[in-house]
Amino acid sequence: MNHRMKQNDRIYTFTHTLMLLVASFFWGTTFVAQSLGAEYVGAGTYLALRTYIGIAFLLPFVIYRDREEYKVYKKGSLGRDNSIESADVDLKSSSVDRTSSLLKDKRQKEIEAFIKGGLLAGLFIFLASFAQQYGIAYTSVAKAGFLTALYVVFVPIISVFFGRKFNNNLWICIALSVVGLYLLCMKGSFYLEMGDALMVVSALGFSVQILAVSRYSKRIDPVKLTLSQFIVEAVLATIVMFVLERPDMASIYNALPAILYAGIFSSGIAYTLQALGQKNLNPAIASIAMCLESVFGTLSGWIVLGQSLSFREAAGCVLMFGAIVLSQFLGSSDSKESSKKSVISD
């Protein structure tokens, strides 16, 4: 029995980690779109428009999943009572009232998670994205990639402060990831400037967003959680767009292909996969998988933009992929979170 449970946990961890790897692929390839779009529009405009596209992409799925969830819940609650004879009208009416009360209670909890999760994840994903976009103008792309992906270290450290315990073997995977990131992203000497500080802020923002998604994806449909954080992010980005920038239709039209790619694949698909993949998954393993966006970003720059890929960078890619593979085995005993545990308290 224990062997079967461990095997099921490994399968669960593998499939959910695979979702995060696909998300990392879209985030990594979006670096190219982000670079092209930044030539025409400001960071606030780019962030606002791509987020609105993500919302439009997700909304039909949320409506559909909400209706299906309601049908399943209602059927499950009334399934046994539907067999009651028509003569027992009072009993049947009581059952309907009980189901209605349970459904109302469930809705209230979902609304609470939608608001709290959306505000927390949306605020920090906005801060992280904004700091990254503006900070990259004051530092090298190499250091930006390395410092932003330091959430692979920040996530488990922050989690420990909130009472989360990790399999010690996971720190081996984290260390391999950091070394791989350094080889992949860093060239020349390492020193901190204003842009570097903004990238560290970005990494901290992404860390809190990852932990928020890890917590609230247990309480609400992950697709709804993604939508809620996008709404918050879109509102904040729109404020920045109109206060600090002056977007015009010609610039938006020129940036539209890049914005569409980012909106559909990075926002709509990738962040939904993040919410689905992180559900009950160890946030440390999740952060290791997601930091591979740096690898995919480098590979997409090599393939699409013709940028060179050195032996050192290739070695960094191999180390990071190795960390992902090892995390599936070394961290297997602590890979799937207990639904009774939480990382961030309300």
Side-chain angles (χ1 to χ4, degrees):
M1 181 65 71
N2 289 336
H3 176 72
R4 181 176 295 179
M5 289 178 63
K6 288 183 178 180
Q7 187 176 18
N8 289 338
D9 280 352
R10 285 184 176 178
I11 292 173
Y12 183 96
T13 303
F14 175 78
T15 55
H16 282 242
T17 303
L18 188 60
M19 291 182 194
L20 297 177
L21 289 176
V22 175
S24 298
F25 170 79
F26 287 128
W27 287 329
T29 54
T30 300
F31 278 125
V32 175
Q34 187 175 354
S35 177
L36 296 173
E39 296 177 5
Y40 302 102
V41 295
T45 302
Y46 180 87
L47 187 60
L49 294 178
R50 67 176 276 184
T51 307
Y52 282 121
I53 291 171
I55 290 172
F57 179 85
L58 282 178
L59 199 55
F61 293 99
V62 170
I63 294 172
Y64 172 78
R65 286 170 69 93
D66 191 58
R67 288 178 178 175
E68 291 300 309
E69 183 180 349
Y70 173 79
K71 289 178 183 178
V72 171
Y73 186 82
K74 186 175 181 181
K75 184 178 179 180
S77 299
L78 287 175
R80 291 175 58 187
D81 300 311
N82 281 337
S83 62
I84 298 173
E85 296 296 333
S86 58
D88 299 324
V89 176
D90 292 338
L91 184 58
K92 202 166 187 178
S93 176
S94 175
S95 175
V96 171
D97 291 341
R98 186 176 68 255
T99 300
S100 178
S101 177
L102 290 172
L103 186 59
K104 183 179 180 180
D105 183 61
K106 182 176 184 295
R107 290 289 190 189
Q108 288 177 342
K109 290 181 179 179
E110 278 197 343
I111 291 172
E112 182 182 354
F114 186 88
I115 294 173
K116 286 186 176 181
L119 285 173
L120 186 60
L123 172 62
F124 280 95
I125 195 176
F126 166 76
L127 292 175
S129 300
F130 195 74
Q132 182 188 59
Q133 188 68 21
Y134 271 80
I136 202 169
Y138 302 99
T139 188
S140 67
V141 174
K143 282 200 286 186
F146 174 74
L147 292 171
T148 299
L150 283 178
Y151 59 72
V152 72
V153 177
F154 292 149
V155 165
I157 290 176
I158 295 173
S159 299
V160 168
F161 281 106
F162 285 96
R164 172 78 194 190
K165 294 182 180 180
F166 291 106
N167 184 331
N168 289 333
N169 290 329
L170 276 180
W171 293 102
I172 298 174
C173 304
I174 292 169
L176 282 176
S177 298
V178 173
V179 173
L181 276 170
Y182 185 86
L183 292 175
L184 177 65
C185 301
M186 293 303 300
K187 299 181 179 71
S189 59
F190 182 80
Y191 53 92
L192 293 177
E193 295 181 338
M194 183 186 73
D196 304 329
L198 287 172
M199 290 301 153
V200 174
V201 171
S202 177
L204 286 169
F206 282 125
S207 299
V208 177
Q209 188 263 349
I210 289 169
L211 293 172
V213 170
S214 178
R215 176 178 178 80
Y216 286 100
S217 62
K218 305 184 190 76
R219 304 183 178 189
I220 189 175
D221 180 1
V223 182
K224 293 180 184 177
L225 178 60
T226 304
L227 178 66
S228 66
Q229 69 175 336
F230 280 175
I231 293 172
V232 174
E233 182 183 20
V235 170
L236 294 174
T238 301
I239 294 172
V240 172
M241 177 176 68
F242 286 115
V243 173
L244 300 180
E245 302 169 5
R246 297 179 181 273
D248 60 86
M249 292 306 298
S251 298
I252 292 174
Y253 178 79
N254 289 328
L256 192 58
I259 293 172
L260 283 171
Y261 182 87
I264 294 172
F265 292 99
S266 177
S267 295
I269 297 177
Y271 278 106
T272 301
L273 287 173
Q274 180 199 2
L276 290 168
Q278 275 195 245
K279 188 172 184 178
N280 294 328
L281 186 67
N282 187 317
I285 292 180
S287 64
I288 293 172
M290 287 186 284
C291 78
L292 279 178
E293 66 178 286
S294 297
V295 174
F296 292 122
T298 299
L299 293 176
S300 62
W302 175 44
I303 296 170
V304 179
L305 300 179
Q307 299 174 348
S308 61
L309 183 67
S310 67
F311 176 80
R312 173 192 173 109
E313 292 168 330
C317 293
V318 171
L319 275 178
M320 292 177 71
F321 275 116
I324 288 293
V325 175
L326 282 176
S327 71
Q328 303 303 297
F329 299 98
L330 295 184
S332 60
S333 64
D334 192 38
S335 60
K336 187 178 177 182
E337 288 192 302
S338 169
S339 59
K340 297 182 180 178
K341 293 182 180 179
S342 61
V343 179
I344 302 177
S345 60
D346 284 323

